[in-house]
Amino acid sequence: MTAADNMMTGAEIVLQALKENGVEHIFGYPGGAVLPIYDEIFQQDEIEHVLVRHEQGAGHAAEGYARSTGKVGVMLVTSGPGATNAVTPLQDALMDSIPLVCISGQVPTALIGSDAFQECDTVGITRPCTKYNWLVKDVNELADVIHEAFRIAQTGRPGPVVVDVPKDIQFATGRYTPLAEHMIRESYQPKVQGNAEAIQAAIELMAHARRPVLYTGGGVINSGDEASRLLRELVELTDFPITSTLMGLGAYPASGKNWLGMLGMHGSYEANMAMHDCDVMVCIGARFDDRITGRVDAFSPNSKKIHIDIDPSSINKNIRVDIPILGDVAHVLEDMVRLWRALPAEKPSLDDWWRNIDRWRGRDCFAYAPNKDVIMPQYALERLNAAIKDRDAYITTEVGQHQMWAAQFLHFEEPKRWMTSGGLGTMGYGLPAALGVQIAHPEALVIDVAGDASIQMCIQEMSAAIQHNAPIKIFILNNQYMGMVRQWQQLLHGNRLSHSYTEAMPDFVKLAEAYGAEGIYCDSPDDLDEAIQRMIDSPKPVIFDCRVANLANCFPMIPSGRAHNDMLLPDEANDEAVATAIDAKGRQLV
């Protein structure tokens, strides 16, 4: 590239920098402050722009794209309301460690601070919900900033970044800095190699464990496919039982003999009991959030804890650990596997521990009462799982009961097949996330497991799916309630169902047809398999209205304020004294 070739407009610099960073798709919505960039998009065909119908949808689509590929998701929004609409997916990506680059337009630099049309303090607003953000005031710095944005988004603990570009900077001419000449900021250098002494101490502690458990999270998946492979190898070598957070499903196969299922508030009985009773806990790429720990002072009280994480702020933040290991999961697991192989063959027997686990498994904690007349939501997901078990399907979800049932009843054998909003719990996430997954994997089967309330949060993205020939399948468990809200109101608020009944619902079949998609309705268990197969076989986007039992509750459940060994199980749910979850002082737990 000659010196003359290096001179470009700011808008050209943006596109060139995106291409150099390997971007193939952008999810966005145009507006006045970002039109110069859109003009450049029009004049090239290397990057495909996916037009969404709302900026929140752009962010969630970019999240789904990133989560299912391991690449950085990119969203493009205009100033003012465009940027503020991006806040929800930015915070969602921050909490769930999703690499996201958001490029936002801004009013011309001379108007910043004047309350100009569609102006807002984008950098100020997004500072708490990003890893880093920039307001670019010099066109000659624009390329460097974009290169650094991609590096920060995808290294260390992944997360979202924002690059705010004023309109006059997009028009201005400046020097383009190629990626090869990019100067990396020395202030941000994530540590990837774990401390050798800490890893050795961890292996020695694990080697003497009699009741060990591996507790894994989304950090395993973020670390790449090699991390998942090494995790599986470690499980095979140690014969340790393994559980996972909501975000970590698929890192270890659900069919594996050591799999305990998901743990936490709606996790399996065996996973939660193992976490409570273990003597050595190895936390790998998880952060001890409140949905996992339950009551902190009663969390796994008798265990020694090892914590592997690339984010130094996550270590000892919620739970004090005995052996902290700061580093990338794949690097640390590689060292652990090597050191374990070098250990003497004699180790404590785990037979008694596995007998305990088998006894807990015998409780069949996901059991539910079958019904010949009404589709139980658990049954709907069992049948969906049976229909897709031989397919390499990608699943997204909205947020609520259906999300937890999906985590319980859909079985994932590989990483990057499960996309859900974990930390922020964003209703409306699943449909646009499915769009992003489908754009990344055009030939794959992509299903959004939804609730009748959540699906309406971002329903407009059905239009984007139609426009971009993305045959996503929306599988709605329609119970005519905000199901999880209703469940908490029933169990914890004296059954006072305040505004959780979703009245004035649309006819989802007609709504699908209005968008140009296919609508399917089913309310009979006998017709369910055929209807699911019709959904799968359809070449078009589908909205499947699956009418399920209205008042079914999601169990097991650890009520807020309870410990892992104090769960509500399905066979106990009819006991009013338990279901009302009143504490010793007569106050409802919240």
Side-chain angles (χ1 to χ4, degrees), residues 8-52:
M8 303 179 185
T9 66
E12 291 173 324
I13 287 172
V14 170
L15 266 295
Q16 183 61 30
L18 293 177
K19 292 172 186 176
E20 270 212 277
N21 282 280
V23 175
E24 297 175 333
H25 297 90
I26 300 173
F27 301 89
Y29 201 92
V34 79
L35 287 183
I37 295 175
Y38 270 89
D39 193 43
E40 289 302 321
I41 290 174
F42 183 83
Q43 299 180 64
Q44 59 83 53
D45 55 13
E46 294 175 57
I47 296 177
E48 179 185 352
H49 178 274
V50 179
L51 177 65
V52 296

Side-chain angles (χ1 to χ4, degrees), residues 455-456 459 462 506-517 519 543:
I455 193 61
Q456 295 188 78
I459 190 66
M462 283 302 296
D507 181 325
F508 285 112
V509 172
K510 289 182 179 178
L511 185 60
E513 292 169 351
Y515 277 114
I543 297 179

Side-chain angles (χ1 to χ4, degrees), residues 275-526:
M275 286 285 281
H276 187 271
D277 285 2
C278 69
D279 63 356
V280 172
M281 176 194 302
V282 187
C283 175
I284 308 174
R287 57 188 178 86
F288 294 100
D289 73 285
D290 64 296
R291 297 287 144 150
I292 295 302
T293 62
R295 203 175 89 218
V296 171
D297 63 358
F299 173 70
S300 193
N302 300 312
S303 67
K304 296 288 187 180
K305 299 173 181 67
I306 301 162
H307 189 186
I308 304 165
D309 205 292
I310 200 165
D311 179 11
S313 72
S314 291
I315 293 177
N316 288 324
K317 180 170 69 175
N318 298 326
I319 297 291
R320 297 293 300 179
V321 299
D322 299 278
I323 302 178
I325 303 174
L326 180 63
D328 177 70
V329 165
H331 286 79
V332 175
L333 284 177
E334 184 176 22
D335 290 342
M336 294 180 83
V337 165
R338 175 177 51 80
L339 291 172
W340 187 273
R341 287 186 180 279
L343 288 174
E346 299 81 18
K347 300 180 188 69
S349 171
L350 302 182
D351 290 348
D352 288 345
W353 183 227
W354 277 110
R355 276 190 285 271
N356 277 342
I357 289 171
D358 288 340
R359 189 177 74 252
W360 293 326
R361 282 172 168 167
R363 289 297 299 269
D364 193 11
C365 66
F366 297 137
Y368 61 95
N371 193 309
K372 293 187 293 184
D373 302 315
V374 178
I375 300 174
M376 298 301 294
Q378 301 95 324
Y379 179 74
L381 288 167
E382 280 186 335
R383 300 318 303 157
L384 178 63
N385 187 69
I388 64 174
K389 63 182 174 66
D390 295 325
R391 308 262 317 234
D392 190 21
Y394 293 79
I395 303 294
T396 70
T397 78
E398 309 295 333
V399 168
Q401 284 181 320
H402 62 274
Q403 176 191 29
M404 295 297 102
W405 280 317
Q408 293 172 349
F409 289 92
L410 300 181
H411 301 153
F412 299 95
E413 299 296 310
E414 298 295 333
K416 300 176 185 172
R417 302 302 189 274
W418 165 252
M419 276 61 62
T420 195
S421 174
L424 194 60
T426 307
M427 294 175 71
Y429 169 91
L431 195 167
L435 172 66
V437 174
Q438 192 78 79
I439 294 296
H441 308 277
E443 303 303 317
L445 174 62
V446 182
I447 301 172
D448 172 31
V449 177
D452 50 292
S454 280
I455 193 61
Q456 295 188 78
M457 290 281 190
C458 287
I459 190 66
Q460 69 278 353
E461 301 309 335
M462 283 302 296
S463 180
I466 292 291
Q467 178 183 343
H468 296 285
N469 299 311
I472 59 177
K473 318 302 181 189
I474 313 301
F475 189 70
I476 302 173
L477 298 184
N478 187 347
N479 59 13
Q480 299 179 289
Y481 280 95
M482 300 174 200
M484 192 62 82
V485 173
R486 180 206 54 75
Q487 177 170 334
W488 280 54
Q489 288 174 336
Q490 177 191 343
L491 298 181
L492 305 175
H493 297 277
N495 205 32
R496 294 181 291 277
L497 306 186
S498 178
H499 298 280
S500 55
Y501 179 66
T502 49
E503 299 183 68
M505 294 291 290
D507 181 325
F508 285 112
V509 172
K510 289 182 179 178
L511 185 60
E513 292 169 351
Y515 277 114
E518 181 175 351
I520 298 174
Y521 177 92
C522 185
D523 61 6
S524 168
D526 293 338

Side-chain angles (χ1 to χ4, degrees), residues 152-197:
I152 289 177
Q154 63 191 317
T155 56
R157 179 181 175 180
V161 297
V162 166
V163 180
D164 199 30
V165 189
K167 193 170 184 178
D168 58 319
I169 300 300
Q170 298 172 43
F171 279 123
T173 299
R175 181 181 181 276
Y176 179 79
T177 304
L179 182 58
E181 298 176 18
H182 167 55
M183 296 296 293
I184 294 175
R185 285 168 169 77
E186 295 297 328
S187 60
Y188 179 69
Q189 295 288 348
K191 180 177 172 57
V192 296
Q193 200 69 47
N195 179 275
E197 292 181 3

Side-chain angles (χ1 to χ4, degrees), residues 517-535:
E518 181 175 351
I520 298 174
Y521 177 92
C522 185
D523 61 6
S524 168
D526 293 338
D527 300 333
L528 186 58
D529 283 353
E530 182 181 350
I532 289 174
Q533 195 59 49
R534 179 182 158 198
M535 175 188 75

Side-chain angles (χ1 to χ4, degrees), residues 220-238:
V220 180
I221 295 172
N222 289 339
S223 186
D225 293 344
E226 180 66 5
S228 294
R229 186 194 68 77
L230 287 164
L231 175 67
R232 296 170 188 220
E233 186 174 356
L234 184 66
V235 172
E236 185 177 350
L237 287 170
T238 62

